[in-house]
Amino acid sequence: MRKKNEKLKIYEFLYNRLPFSEDETKEYRALRRSEKLEEEFELYLDEIKTANIDVYWHSEVYVDGEYEFVHVLMVTDYCYYIFILHDLAGGHYINTFNILCNDAHAAVLDLNRSEKLYQMFKARLIDEGEFQRPIIVKYVMMNDNFVLKTRKSDLFLSKLNLPYYLKAVEQSAVLKNKDTPLPS
C-alpha cells in the first residue's frame, strides 16, 4: 500500500499558513502532480498480484549532482524495475543527443540520465553470490495524448501497454519464485 510522500504532507499542512517562495511553490506543485500520477499508476498495480513483488514508492535519489525522482521501484526475485512517471502530452521526438524534445523543439527530458540512474542503482543494488539481478528503467507516460514520433525507444511505456507490462512482471515473479513449483 502506497503512503503519501512525507514532503508533500508537510507542504499541504503549511499551504495557506505560510508564504511560499517561488521555488517552494514549484516543488509543491510538482509533488502534487507526482501524487496524482502515482495514484493512477497504483490503479494499474491493483490489477496484478503483488505477493511476489516488493513495491517501493517515491524515492528521491542523487544522481550525478542532481536529484532524480523515482516514483516506483518494483523488486522481484530476478529483477529490479524502476518506473519514472510523466504526464507529458503532444508530439515528442528523440534528438541525436538522446534528448526527448516536444514539437516546439524544446528539450523536455534528458534520456542520458536514465543510464546514469541505471549505473547508480547498479552500484548500490549488489546481490549476494554470483547472480546480479537486471535493472530495468522505464519512463511511463501517463497521458493518453503523448505521441513519440520518429525513432522509438525501449525506455518508454504508455498507458496502453502498461497493463500488459505489469502483467508480464507479475507472471515472471510468480514463475520464478523459489516456493512456486514450475508447471510441467
Side-chain angles (χ1 to χ4, degrees):
M1 181 55 115
R2 182 179 60 85
K3 294 181 181 176
K4 188 177 267 193
N5 185 314
E6 292 298 320
K7 197 181 258 188
L8 178 58
K9 286 181 188 178
I10 293 168
Y11 273 128
E12 287 176 339
F13 177 77
L14 295 175
Y15 193 70
N16 289 332
R17 289 182 173 90
L18 293 175
F20 280 15
S21 69
E22 187 176 328
D23 288 341
E24 290 169 331
T25 302
K26 284 180 185 176
E27 185 176 23
Y28 173 59
R29 288 184 181 145
L31 287 170
R32 286 183 55 200
R33 253 192 335 274
S34 290
E35 177 71 13
K36 288 186 187 314
L37 292 173
E38 287 177 5
E39 285 174 356
E40 188 175 354
F41 187 90
E42 189 173 31
L43 295 174
Y44 288 94
L45 207 52
D46 288 342
E47 298 298 315
I48 66 168
K49 295 177 184 131
T50 57
N52 298 321
I53 303 170
D54 294 322
V55 181
Y56 303 94
W57 293 93
H58 40 255
S59 306
E60 201 171 39
V61 293
Y62 196 67
V63 180
D64 199 35
E66 292 182 38
Y67 284 100
E68 185 76 34
F69 199 78
V70 173
H71 293 93
V72 185
L73 171 63
M74 295 172 57
V75 181
T76 68
D77 284 345
Y78 285 82
C79 198
Y80 296 102
Y81 299 91
I82 299 169
F83 295 99
I84 303 166
L85 310 178
H86 286 281
D87 59 353
L88 301 174
H92 291 77
Y93 66 93
I94 301 170
N95 71 12
T96 54
F97 301 106
N98 208 26
I99 306 290
L100 182 69
C101 300
N102 62 19
D103 280 339
H105 309 293
V108 175
L109 186 61
D110 183 357
L111 299 176
N112 297 306
R113 293 202 42 84
S114 62
E115 177 61 26
K116 293 175 182 176
L117 181 67
Y118 168 84
Q119 292 300 334
M120 191 273 312
F121 271 95
K122 184 178 177 186
R124 286 172 177 72
L125 298 174
I126 306 298
D127 293 319
E128 294 179 21
E130 296 179 16
F131 178 74
Q132 173 63 46
R133 286 180 269 191
I135 301 166
I136 299 172
V137 178
K138 293 289 184 183
Y139 292 99
V140 184
M141 297 302 159
M142 301 297 287
N143 191 318
D144 291 328
N145 296 323
F146 175 81
V147 177
L148 185 60
K149 300 176 178 180
T150 63
R151 69 180 173 122
K152 301 294 180 193
S153 173
D154 290 338
L155 284 173
F156 292 98
L157 286 175
S158 68
K159 280 175 53 174
L160 184 64
N161 57 14
L162 181 60
Y164 304 107
Y165 192 84
L166 292 176
K167 193 68 170 168
V169 170
E170 173 198 14
Q171 292 299 317
S172 68
V174 170
L175 288 175
K176 295 179 182 178
N177 187 304
K178 297 173 207 153
D179 300 329
T180 306
L182 291 174
S184 31

